[in-house]
Amino acid sequence: MHTAITSQAPTSADACLSIVHSLMCHRQGGESESFAKRAIESLVKKLKEKRDELDSLITAITTNGAHPTKCVTIQRTLDGRLQVAGRKGFPHVIYARIWRWPDLHKNELKHAKFCQYAFDLKADSVCVNPYHYERVVSPGIDLTGLSLQHTAPSRLVKDEYGHDSQLNGSGAGEGSQTVQHPPQDNFGLMPVIPVLVGTSGMGASMGTGYDSYSAGISAAYSRRNSNQLPPLTNQPPPEFWCTITYFELDQQVGETFKVPSGCPSVKVDGYTDPSSIDRFCLGQLSNVHRTEASERARLHIGKGVQLDCRGEGDVWIKCLSDHSVFVQSYYLDREAGRAPGDAVHKIYPVAYIKVFDIRQCHCQMQQQAATAQAAAAAQAAAVAGNVPGPASVGGIAPAVGLSAVAGIGVDDLRRLCILRLSFVKGWGPDYPRASIKETPCWIEVQLHRPLQLLDQVLQAMPLSDPRPTRLIPWMN
């Protein structure tokens, strides 16, 4: 969704490049930009000979499903999966992630009754029109009454990424309410939010847009989490849920902005109004060393972004600017199947996306701290027994840890609790800037609740390494 676009949408008669560019402007940001572009280019080329279907796709995407459209079909492959840029996935899931739900899991999709070539119908052609599918959990559905069901026997199957996923032997029939967890990721971490499958009578139309959908489903998940999942800590929340620091290139500009825990939503914009408790105005900040590139980029920040803290500490970002923002997020790395810190995620205007999951972060910091502890113990045993110590522990290379053996220290665990966001200009493999410190204007968001949890993890570890008594200067 890109409200800043005023030019007329293309038609099937236009060049492929023009059509791809227009459709890319409506990408929701879950997949990397390069992957999404390859996937869209592939689809447009396949539809060039089916102009009515290509026009249906263009109408569906550029109007956010506001008008009824016909099926948009591609040939079904032998295994049902589509290969794009070296990755395989189910085609209807790939395009639904690109244009509607970046955090979508396969089992959440249910086709609309009017779709003639839905993936589950197993026809020779597969419909990939994202507006011919619905997410199983509708906005506002109360999930608090659901419980986890464990049935035996169970079997492991491969999901669309080749990960092991457990299915109940008896299956989840129509109308059942079984909560099934998505597969583990490469780090052995489970997503916080279960996926509801096989539920009937929940097919509300999603034509009202991603924003309202996200708000509804997030509220439902929050209610479920607060009722069924034990709290991560009994400590009271810190005084501030986050602190925001603004940078131009590698230089901090202005004072750090602190957001109280009682203010779960904050906006960061480019205006010159005085900042308030829930608004950080970057336009008022002066910098005698400001470059021309930073000056130009600051003019395009506009309404900026909104950061929302939900539940125990999950964070969502909404792009309010007319220009995309770029985010470094371990949560989105995991959702995209990438290694931590390996990707930069582009969030288009109006998109509203979850960028931080506190329970996933907690699991990751526990696992990495334990890895470091095991590495230290292995070295101690090697020294005592005069035998060589392992180069890695548990199959994990010594990339993160709390000792010299494991490679790095506390600061590397702190990075799990930090979000970095660049306005207007991106960085990473797809851009000429290798580091966020080369972008003209960006912010760093330190999340205090996960830092509080990290402090507990560190204090529980019997390590000899020196560590700070407080990770957050303003912690209660």
Side-chain angles (χ1 to χ4, degrees), residues 127-420:
C127 178
V128 295
N129 187 334
Y131 292 92
H132 279 207
Y133 294 88
E134 301 161 350
R135 235 176 164 167
V136 175
V137 181
S138 302
I141 290 293
D142 186 357
L143 304 182
T144 56
L146 299 182
S147 59
L148 294 176
Q149 297 181 2
H150 302 278
T151 57
S154 62
R155 59 191 176 90
L156 291 177
V157 298
K158 298 290 185 182
D159 73 352
E160 66 266 38
Y161 296 119
H163 299 143
D164 289 331
S165 177
Q166 191 174 58
L167 295 180
N168 293 332
S170 59
E174 183 73 3
S176 65
Q177 292 187 339
T178 300
V179 176
Q180 178 185 356
H181 287 282
Q184 288 187 335
D185 65 12
N186 294 332
F187 310 101
L189 302 176
M190 296 293 287
V192 177
I193 302 171
V195 177
L196 189 66
V197 297
T199 306
S200 63
M202 305 174 75
S205 172
M206 298 298 164
T208 54
Y210 178 71
D211 190 10
S212 60
Y213 178 84
S214 297
I217 197 170
S218 176
Y221 282 145
S222 296
R223 288 197 300 273
R224 187 182 190 281
N225 286 341
S226 63
N227 282 271
Q228 292 199 349
L229 296 175
L232 291 170
T233 177
N234 292 324
Q235 290 190 31
E239 182 180 357
F240 304 100
W241 73 265
C242 78
T243 51
I244 305 171
T245 308
Y246 172 63
F247 294 86
E248 293 176 3
L249 301 177
D250 61 353
Q251 182 180 19
Q252 179 178 337
V253 178
E255 299 295 326
T256 297
F257 186 82
K258 296 175 283 187
V259 186
S261 291
C263 181
S265 182
V266 61
K267 292 181 180 178
V268 183
D269 60 45
Y271 299 129
T272 57
D273 299 339
S275 297
S276 59
I277 190 174
D278 61 350
R279 184 181 176 194
F280 185 17
C281 294
L282 304 179
Q284 64 174 334
L285 301 178
S286 60
N287 177 11
V288 295
H289 302 293
R290 180 166 292 149
T291 64
E292 184 180 348
S294 294
E295 192 70 63
R296 287 197 306 268
R298 282 166 54 83
L299 296 175
H300 297 291
I301 295 175
K303 295 180 181 179
V305 295
Q306 176 177 309
L307 306 174
D308 291 339
C309 181
R310 298 188 169 187
E312 278 200 84
D314 295 348
V315 179
W316 292 61
I317 287 180
K318 182 172 184 179
C319 180
L320 304 175
S321 173
D322 289 338
H323 296 266
S324 300
V325 296
F326 302 82
V327 178
Q328 188 176 59
S329 159
Y330 290 119
Y331 172 76
L332 289 180
D333 290 344
R334 183 203 154 279
E335 289 296 303
R338 306 287 290 269
D342 188 41
V344 178
H345 305 273
K346 187 174 184 178
I347 302 180
Y348 282 81
V350 186
Y352 189 42
I353 295 175
K354 182 177 181 180
V355 294
F356 181 81
D357 188 298
I358 193 168
R359 288 181 180 268
Q360 177 200 336
C361 177
H362 189 226
C363 285
Q364 197 166 354
M365 64 177 64
Q366 285 180 315
Q367 183 183 57
Q368 293 176 349
T371 298
Q373 184 182 8
Q379 187 193 47
V383 171
N386 197 26
V387 295
S392 64
V393 178
I396 303 175
V400 177
L402 302 175
S403 70
V405 182
I408 51 180
V410 173
D411 285 343
D412 299 278
L413 286 177
R414 287 176 61 116
R415 291 193 187 103
L416 299 175
C417 311
I418 292 173
L419 296 169
R420 286 179 162 185

Side-chain angles (χ1 to χ4, degrees), residues 17-48:
L17 187 62
S18 299
I19 298 172
V20 170
H21 176 75
S22 176
L23 296 179
M24 276 291 289
C25 290
H26 296 266
R27 170 178 161 260
Q28 289 299 322
E31 301 285 2
S32 70
E33 183 172 21
S34 59
F35 177 85
K37 186 175 182 180
R38 293 277 294 276
I40 294 172
E41 285 175 344
S42 172
L43 179 58
V44 170
K45 289 177 182 177
K46 290 175 181 176
L47 296 175
K48 252 307 187 177

Side-chain angles (χ1 to χ4, degrees), residues 3-17:
T3 56
I5 295 177
T6 57
S7 60
Q8 186 176 2
T11 70
S12 59
D14 290 311
C16 287
L17 187 62

